Amino acid sequence: MVRRVAVIGAGAGGLVSVKCCLDERLEPTCFESSQDIGGVWRYTDSTDSRGVSVYRSVITNTSKEMSCFSDFPFPEGFPSYLPHSLVLEYLRMYSRHFDLLRHVRFQTTVLSVRKRPDFTSSGQWEVVTETEGVRESHIFDAVMVCTGHYQEPYLPLASFPGIESRFKGQRLHSREYRDVQAFRGKRVLVVGIGNTGGDLSVELSRVAAKVFLSTRSNTWVISRVSDHGFPFDMVSTTRFNHLLEWLLPSALARRIRFRKFNSWFNHTNYGLASSKSSKFKMIINEELPFCLLSGTVVLKPNVKEFTESSAVFEDGTTEENIDVVLFATGYNFSFPFLEESVRSAIDDNHSLYNCVFPPQLEKPTLAIIGLIQLTGSIMAGSEMQARWVTGVFAGWNKLPPPSRMMAEVVKRKSPVKRNPHERENLKMSFISYMDKIAACAGVKPSVLRLLLTDPQLALAIFFGPCSPYQYRLAGRGRWSGARAAILTQWQRTLQPLRTRVLGDSSSSSSGWCWMCLLALPAALTAAFLFSKYPQPGWSPWARPQL
């Protein structure tokens, strides 16, 4: 019987894990190596600490309604897309509301997590920690690792001949970047076109003499601002779109998706992506197309080699007088505190059952929270994982036998170890993954049942955003405010924009009612098909499997 649970890390994943433990009447102790909560969302000017921090200008890529914890909406006055300071403030509010901080031990580093000698029968772990030089040993019934995947910078210097032996300029990883001041007037080469590479290229272009952005990937650039000014993820991440893309032939769905992306600007003209390519990635960036159009950022292919002051690219071109090379090449995850037998078996999240449980353990008392790449919010995904895991610990949720879990892991696992760049391209569909874990936890909403009992709510969750509140409508942890939160999410989205009220105050409620009536037959048919054939499909955010 699990009672005492060690939670490692007090970032977003660690805090929600503590809260879920309390919901299941477990006894969590959270160990945080720093002096405060927040993890990567706690901005610091220092680059000396081992922890990873966001850069000063970062803005969330997912909107507040799609990123919140499922029983605690962001304040109505917060903007849809948030700077790091407001995300941290939200985590502080969440901690105060659910009284989580009394379970956190700050400035306490976890040195080791090892199986007890009787692990095969007890499932217990010995956790050794250090606080101000004093070591302490603890016995826990279960462990939740919430250190995330932004841990060790991935710096593939061996892939760039000359960068170490010949190049005389400065080189650094994006982990060391805080703001633009050190780059004023310099010629900067950014390597990697993920979300971070795109953001930093745009920001640097305002002060640098020139910015070059090197990529080897086909990349589609999308804006946070969708049609009619609504947040992109709220418009695109819906159960209706999810089902539609599953029903359509993959070639047709891909053609529709690429046409939609090209309706903003032609990606082939900009050298970013071709609709004929089956391998691609997507990034969020509103300003990059204009920077490319204005020449403040110049797109380049992969770097072939470096000389003393130049970068030679694979197309034969050379850019001279490069002052700084900034690698936006992602991160490796590591769990140095786990014993070798457990650590060595975790190559990536596909080594884990449902990206959470190491399947080889005799007892399922170790869970990895937040080691996921989703097409939506990782905060929401981490909460769903934590709800499922604590339900397993408490005995409410059951896991398959280890042999079945191992078989599923082997089936999904790539035979080749992937680097962070390749893992970025393997993001899982937000709705598919959330529904899968929700089904395991017994909290997946039933659209068909709701159509019979609450048609307005059913239509809102089928045609509207697949926001986290949907997973509080039924099952353990049901929240009485979930229905109201779903039906008012658009009001909370628009409220921060009501800073200048115009004369036209016409209500859209009548239009919503008409839409509900017209959509009812389609929703009934779609819900029946989805319940009859529940295979996961593509979302507009999804990447192809490589």
Side-chain angles (χ1 to χ4, degrees):
M1 181 67 180
V2 170
R3 179 59 56 189
R4 300 185 68 236
V5 181
V7 178
I8 303 176
L15 293 173
V16 77
S17 294
V18 171
K19 193 262 186 185
C20 290
C21 283
L22 296 174
D23 288 345
E24 295 293 353
R25 301 185 182 279
L26 303 175
E27 299 172 7
T29 301
C30 179
F31 299 107
E32 169 55 43
S33 60
S34 72
Q35 75 283 359
D36 201 358
I37 65 169
V40 297
W41 291 108
R42 189 180 68 255
Y43 172 79
T44 173
D45 288 320
S46 172
T47 60
D48 297 331
S49 64
R50 290 188 59 194
V52 175
S53 166
V54 293
Y55 41 93
R56 188 190 300 275
S57 61
V58 76
I59 299 290
T60 58
N61 287 332
T62 53
S63 64
K64 66 176 183 179
E65 294 299 316
M66 303 296 286
S67 305
C68 66
F69 296 131
S70 57
D71 57 354
F72 195 75
F74 275 91
E76 188 176 63
F78 278 28
S80 285
Y81 292 103
L82 304 156
H84 58 78
S85 58
L86 290 184
V87 177
L88 182 59
E89 176 58 25
Y90 171 77
L91 295 177
R92 296 196 192 285
M93 295 166 63
Y94 183 77
S95 300
R96 288 193 297 267
H97 182 79
F98 293 108
D99 194 19
L100 304 181
L101 295 186
R102 64 189 178 93
H103 301 279
V104 182
R105 292 183 54 177
F106 292 107
Q107 294 185 309
T108 301
T109 301
V110 174
L111 300 178
S112 67
V113 176
R114 299 185 179 279
K115 298 177 184 176
R116 294 270 290 164
D118 62 347
F119 181 83
T120 55
S121 58
S122 70
Q124 290 183 327
W125 300 85
E126 180 183 6
V127 178
V128 178
T129 63
E130 184 176 71
T131 307
E132 297 180 346
V134 178
R135 294 196 176 191
E136 195 175 352
S137 180
H138 319 260
I139 304 300
F140 286 98
D141 300 314
V143 176
M144 300 175 75
V145 179
C146 308
T147 52
H149 57 265
Y150 298 110
Q151 296 172 30
E152 296 183 355
Y154 174 65
L155 202 57
L157 299 180
S159 301
F160 300 97
I163 187 67
E164 296 181 278
S165 60
R166 290 179 297 214
F167 184 65
K168 302 300 184 183
Q170 181 186 6
R171 72 168 190 265
L172 68 158
H173 187 272
S174 58
R175 175 187 179 276
E176 303 170 69
Y177 179 90
R178 289 298 179 267
D179 56 37
V180 300
Q181 298 309 316
F183 303 88
R184 190 173 299 275
K186 295 186 177 181
R187 290 168 62 85
V188 182
L189 170 62
V190 178
V191 178
I193 196 176
N195 285 313
T196 299
D199 284 351
L200 299 191
S201 297
V202 168
E203 183 165 277
L204 289 168
S205 71
R206 301 187 181 107
V207 300
K210 199 72 170 180
V211 175
F212 303 96
L213 176 57
S214 170
T215 177
R216 60 182 179 182
S217 304
N218 274 281
T219 305
W220 296 94
V221 182
I222 55 180
S223 171
R224 295 174 182 86
V225 184
S226 187
D227 298 339
H228 307 291
F230 291 111
F232 174 79
D233 55 353
M234 293 186 72
V235 173
S236 64
T237 310
T238 71
R239 294 184 179 277
F240 174 74
N241 287 342
H242 183 66
L243 176 63
L244 190 63
E245 293 226 358
W246 173 64
L247 292 174
L248 291 174
S250 59
L252 178 59
R254 187 163 53 246
R255 192 177 306 127
I256 293 172
R257 187 164 50 249
F258 291 166
R259 178 172 293 184
K260 175 65 176 176
F261 295 157
N262 274 330
S263 67
W264 183 25
F265 69 95
N266 188 305
H267 286 64
T268 302
N269 290 344
Y270 284 65
L272 284 163
S274 168
S275 57
K276 296 180 180 179
S277 175
S278 60
K279 297 181 180 180
F280 64 93
K281 66 193 300 183
M282 290 192 296
I283 66 170
I284 308 288
N285 201 302
E286 298 77 34
E287 299 178 75
L288 182 59
F290 176 73
C291 289
L292 294 172
L293 196 62
S294 63
T296 55
V297 175
V298 177
L299 195 66
K300 303 293 291 187
N302 195 42
V303 177
K304 180 181 178 182
E305 63 176 335
F306 286 93
T307 65
E308 288 189 357
S309 61
S310 306
V312 181
F313 298 92
E314 290 182 345
D315 63 355
T317 60
T318 301
E319 294 297 342
E320 305 283 350
N321 302 319
I322 300 297
D323 298 303
V324 183
V325 178
L326 178 57
F327 287 92
T329 44
Y331 293 83
N332 283 318
F333 62 86
S334 66
F335 307 111
F337 46 80
L338 290 181
E339 68 173 64
E340 175 62 23
S341 64
V342 178
R343 184 175 68 245
S344 61
I346 306 175
D347 292 331
D348 55 27
N349 59 18
H350 291 290
S351 306
L352 306 170
Y353 178 68
N354 283 347
C355 303
V356 176
F357 286 102
Q360 74 277 12
L361 295 179
E362 299 92 336
K363 296 286 185 180
T365 55
L366 174 68
I368 312 296
I369 303 298
L371 191 65
I372 44 176
Q373 294 276 6
L374 298 178
T375 58
S377 168
I378 294 179
M379 279 177 56
S382 297
E383 182 194 28
M384 183 56 67
Q385 290 179 329
R387 292 178 66 189
W388 175 45
V389 166
T390 52
V392 170
F393 291 166
W396 300 106
N397 303 327
K398 304 298 181 184
L399 293 177
S403 58
R404 277 183 53 195
M405 291 193 289
M406 280 295 296
E408 182 169 332
V409 166
V410 169
K411 182 173 65 175
R412 293 174 60 243
K413 190 175 178 182
S414 168
V416 179
K417 187 174 182 179
R418 301 180 186 274
N419 63 41
H421 168 81
E422 293 169 323
R423 290 200 299 269
E424 171 74 14
N425 293 347
L426 289 174
K427 288 189 175 182
M428 296 175 287
S429 161
F430 177 77
I431 295 179
S432 292
Y433 186 74
M434 291 287 283
D435 275 359
K436 183 177 184 179
I437 304 304
C440 293
V443 297
K444 180 182 175 182
S446 170
V447 179
L448 192 58
R449 185 180 296 114
L450 285 172
L451 276 169
L452 302 175
T453 59
D454 193 341
Q456 182 188 12
L457 180 61
L459 292 169
I461 70 171
F462 186 73
F463 290 103
C466 185
S467 48
Y469 318 119
Q470 295 189 10
Y471 300 98
R472 290 284 180 177
L473 291 169
R476 289 185 61 77
R478 182 179 181 274
W479 176 43
S480 60
R483 183 182 188 276
I486 292 169
L487 296 180
T488 57
Q489 56 195 345
W490 288 112
Q491 288 93 307
R492 285 191 301 280
T493 299
L494 296 176
Q495 180 59 36
L497 302 176
R498 309 292 192 198
T499 54
R500 178 173 177 255
V501 181
L502 301 178
D504 182 10
S505 58
S506 59
S507 173
S508 60
S509 59
S510 59
W512 167 252
C513 293
W514 278 109
M515 191 205 76
C516 289
L517 291 173
L518 294 173
L520 187 58
L524 284 166
T525 304
F528 172 75
L529 287 171
F530 201 66
S531 61
K532 187 174 178 63
Y533 307 104
Q535 295 298 318
W538 284 76
S539 80
W541 285 79
R543 273 72 160 177
Q545 298 297 306
L546 302 184

